[in-house]
Amino acid sequence: MEFIQKKTNDRAAEPFLLKAAEKGISLVWDRYEGQLPECGFCESGLSCRDCLQGPCISHPFRGDQSKVGVCGKNKDILGVHSLLRLVVKGTMAYLDQVIDFAKDIEAGEVSPANKAQTDGVIRHIQGLFETVGPEVMEAFPEALTNRWEATGIYPEGIARDLFKASQKLEGGITGVNETLLWTFKCSLLGCVSQMLQGKLKSSVFGNAAPTELEVNLGILQKEVPTILLYGHFSPVLKQKIAEVGEKKNVSIMGVCTDPLLPPYIFAPVTSYGSQEIPLMTGAVDLIVSGDQYVNPSLQEVAREWSVTIVPAEVLERGQDLGRFAEQIIDQAKKAFDARSGISKDIPDVKESAVFGFSVDTVDMKKIVDAINGNKIKGIALLAGSNNVKFTQDHEIVSMAQEFLKNDVLCISEGEASIALAKYGFLNPQFEMECGKGLSGLLSSLGEDIPSILDFSYAQNGGVTEFLLGLTSVEKKEPKEYPIVAVFPEANRSMDVTKAMWTVAMGVSTFFWPFLPVTGSPKTMEALTAFCKETFGSRFHVITRKMDARTKSTMVIKSLKGEDELHLDDNPWS
Amino acid sequence: MRHIIIGGSAAAISAVEAIRSVDQTSQIELFTDEETPLFSRVLLPYYIAEELSKQLLNFRSLDFFDENNVIAHLGMRVQEISPDSKTIRTADGNHYEFDRLLIATGGVPIIPSIPGMDKEGVSTLKTMADAERIYNFKAKKAVVIGAGSVGVEASISLKRRGLKVSLLEQLGQVLPTVFDEKASSIIRKSIEDRGIEVITGEKATAFKGNSHVTSVITATREIECDMVVVAIGIRPAIELAKNAGIEIGSLKGIKVNDQMMTNMAGIYAAGDVAETHDIAHDMITINAIWPCAVEQGHIAGLNMAGKESRYAGSVRMNSIGNFIGHPAISMGMIRAEAEKAGVEAGEEFQEIKKSTKDIYRKLILKDGRIAGAILVGQTQKAGVIGILLKKRVDVSNYIPILMSNSLNFIDVLPLIRRNADKFTEPEYKELMDTGL
Amino acid sequence: MEVIMVDQEKCTGCHQCELWCGNEIASVSKELPLAINEDPQPVPRVHVEGKRFALQCRHCPDAPCITACPNGTMRRDPESGLVFVNEPTCIACWMCVMVCPFGIINPSSSLKVAVKCDRCRNMEFPICVEVCPTNALKLVDRKEAAEINP
């Protein structure tokens, strides 16, 4: 059992931890300690609650009859199912985001920038039930699509990739490797969903140019009514809120929500791990919350600081989003007046950051040349968010620093970008220590290029956009480049899904905390040897405790082709 | 108070500890004819099999006597006890006075009157000297006579040393006083799977050879060999007691009451030499096994030191642990033989058996109380059955639970609670308040 | 002397005590992902019995296992009063298994010794008590426990 000594690296958030303790308010760190030790069976993937004959475990230390679930799922199946369950949920999350969005567009809530393109994308989305259009799939290098067809995991739409894959959990006689392939198949649907969402955003709101904005608690303003958008919900609703907010002089910012939705910016006030903190500044009057990424604990903190919570994903949302947005703004203004007596404690900590690069604004050829010319050692795709099991932001920041020093180009997306943004990695003016080759490359990419490039708002969504852009230069597939994906603080099922599709695309992935599959020898082997064979990449499940520095060294060595931990022969690294 | 203890094995040492737990000052003098002190006879087969060095045969550290302030006379035989003058005479002619005397002389191996018994290469297995002799024999083929615990373990030890071994047993099965036919056949197979030849139902009639044994003769065959281990049983070593006029029982062991005292005040007996009340059979028996000797020595010691204690009675129990590779435990009665002495009219016996691929379990109940149990293959919870046997609990309603392979203590806790007056020790009382 | 008591109403039979005893005490690697796959399989000293009761060695004041042990392997630590197996001298005869009224001694044929709880005698605090999620397991002074049940 470890009790993380330091809770957070974020000096804006840190003072509030003490304040919360004094007021007796429980934060995510307190609840985590209360949960310890977390169930060792579940952590190892050796449990199942899929039916009412359970809950079952495979007991590693008792005799034969306790090693297999009632229905017969043995430790290997239990392990791979633990993974499948996460990916099914993750893919559903990506699907929810895109389908939700499409429905609001169809309802005519907003006039798209490019109508014809929008209609095309919506048609694709509507068709997702039984197919993934060739126009979407043609973005992938042929080598990949051929391989997926050959292994049977080519995305075919919701019916097969999601529903059929999920039925593996219901029973049946399927080996570990095949179940794992179904899991990859499901994750590819998630990938496609994120791509379609990216395309839809672009066609509806227009492409984003790299945009500078400020992040962290210091950006909160006490003189105006302030609304924070939490988590994911309809981009159309967010736009409407921003529209009305602008008119009525209400500040709209975000937590765990896309920063860019042209022409609007939802500046990230903090990252996932400290999402309870902004309310404690007293400067937030109202929050609009989605479901994904939102902690139910916000209620308790909101109560303490009289913050109104408006859930956006409700049964009775009503059709008229404009009206809903107006109501929200009115509520916020009223709340602001009512809360004028509450003291505001806004730390003076903020940072500039540039978000929104894409293949249109970054010269991918220069990057390929830099790789081929050995100017940079490789590329690290940074994803994931915060996880309370680590000191908040510490892993990603430390690893990013090491990568930059060692001439590894870093591309980030989503919550990972926000975490990095707080520390200046996305700030073009901030001189991060970069290796010579990397510095050269970054300077060559443009005038105001930060040390790490955020690809969140991109046609093809995040890391996928980057990979597709990279591979289109020489028509080579990702596994032929020294490129890895790193999730220093993974958290959600969406992260698992993303990591899986990245591996399916031939990019080896490092993932912390380790996947709940360690109780299954066959799953561990499948994620190493079988994946290596099938995709040319591995999903690294690393159980050994190591500090961030050691992790970076390991990743950098793997980029150079050095397998220091003998990760290839030793599944339990 | 001057305590003298004759003997140096389980009962004797246990008595020392019991006396010292109550009385740190009185003198204790101990006489044993073994030169090697404090070794466990139970482990001699392991020594022969070269699995334990001599040091590891000890069951107490070598400074036991110093630590417990005992004057130990090793390798000193006691020749005579004089109850009237309360003295003993040792082989070197010395006399020692006592206030309390414990006779813990154990048993001596039965020497069959077989021609050739005195040839070289023929030995019993009881003393350290025996063990060393067998250990040092340069032999290729051994015959072990008697398939009791000692014989079976000796045969396996010798096989492990690389000898060819034949095990000869007069009765129809191996371990006839420990296991029933079914359990015995499972164990016999284990023994034979190791390449040991097992011959039952045949008696050795002669050992042939010149000065050194070369074969064993039975009614039907001649078995060639160059070593013979005779392990046909032990009889209590009662000569000293008998000559002193101490009462000997019908089983040829020293008679004691439930305070382990003989018919002579101040003189106690404990261990393999004593006859005690057997709980399972409900009659007087000699249970010559280690735990009984320890218990009896303990009770004797307490009484000698003036702390009145009563012996609840002995239970025969044997465990073949990992030695054969097939764990097996047996306690109390082996068969529900109505002809066995001690059965009164109207007493009802039940024998319940269960046999699956690798597991055999048998319970013998007498009037609803456990009188015996045999477990082969799955022995983990044997002690739960054992304690119910010892405390004479009526288990009539618990038979399916007791026979189940998943028997555990909690299942019988309600029964124990119902018999709380028998389970007075703190470890039981602590668990009784659990709301079950 | 302190013993571990189980509050039967709080024990949910979740097996965490067994799992962590197996990992922290019984295993060689002491790390769960590795311990799970160790060979020989680690043997926990505490066992969830029946439906919901975690049972371990009661450290009986008059221990039958010590009486039965033929070579002094089963011992009592004079300071703490705890009964423990001195594994290097254990010959796996399992006489102790035969006499333990609670059946908590594990005859391990893979390890070739008797495996028994020693109440974490070399640790600061017993692991099973530490990890129990419902606080069903508690360290209680033996005298106190006796007073609870007169």
Side-chain angles (χ1 to χ4, degrees), chain A residues 37-38 40, chain C residues 16-25 32 127 131:
Chain A
E38 292 177 326
Chain C
Q16 289 300 311
C17 51
E18 287 174 340
L19 186 70
W20 295 106
C21 176
N23 183 44
E24 304 276 329
I25 308 295
L32 192 62
I127 282 287
V131 304

Side-chain angles (χ1 to χ4, degrees), chain B residues 13 33 36 67 75 125 131 167 178 181 240 250 324 367 381 383 420:
Chain B
I13 301 303
D33 58 9
T36 319
E67 286 203 335
L125 176 53
L167 179 59
V178 179
E181 293 79 9
L240 271 179
S250 53
I324 295 191
D367 276 347
K381 306 289 184 181

Side-chain angles (χ1 to χ4, degrees), chain A residues 1 37-41 43-44 46 57 59-63 67 75 514 518-519 521 543 545 572, chain C residues 14-16 18-20 22-24 31-37 41-44 47-48 130-131:
Chain A
M1 274 142 302
E38 292 177 326
C39 174
F41 300 104
E43 179 187 281
S44 314
L46 294 176
I57 56 171
H59 202 306
F61 304 142
R62 274 171 86 143
K67 293 221 179 297
K75 64 180 175 184
F514 55 80
T518 52
T543 60
K545 296 193 206 335
W572 283 272
Chain C
C14 73
H15 297 281
Q16 289 300 311
E18 287 174 340
L19 186 70
W20 295 106
N23 183 44
E24 304 276 329
E31 300 232 355
L32 192 62
L34 300 171
I36 287 177
N37 297 290
Q41 182 173 292
V43 180
H47 203 255
V48 174
E130 199 175 334
V131 304

